Amino acid sequence: MFRQITDLSGNEWYLIASLWIFLLFFITIGIRLFRMRKDDAEYMKGIPMDDGEHSDEDSIN
């Protein structure tokens, strides 16, 4: 069975590479989420409910 895994040719390399990219991406996102400051999380939590109460001078009305 191990010989089948190590004896890769052709398209199997793309499958393994895409699996590693997928895993690295989600591991990186998980680490960033756990290391995020509480202030940043509170700010992002309120973004969807923001009614635009603050005045944005750069926006075009």
Side-chain angles (χ1 to χ4, degrees):
M1 184 172 110
F2 187 70
R3 187 183 307 167
Q4 291 175 341
I5 294 172
T6 58
D7 188 27
L8 299 176
S9 61
N11 294 334
E12 291 90 359
W13 288 110
Y14 294 112
L15 296 173
I16 291 175
S18 63
L19 176 65
W20 277 108
I21 291 169
F22 176 80
L23 287 174
L24 289 174
F25 174 76
F26 281 103
I27 289 170
T28 303
I29 295 299
I31 290 170
R32 288 190 63 177
L33 286 174
F34 281 114
R35 295 184 69 193
M36 183 184 297
R37 292 184 301 184
K38 187 169 179 135
D39 295 338
D40 293 338
E42 289 295 323
Y43 170 73
M44 287 185 215
K45 183 172 73 172
I47 290 175
M49 303 304 279
D50 190 11
D51 293 339
E53 296 171 2
H54 62 284
S55 62
D56 191 8
E57 297 174 3
D58 295 332
S59 66
I60 300 172
N61 292 331

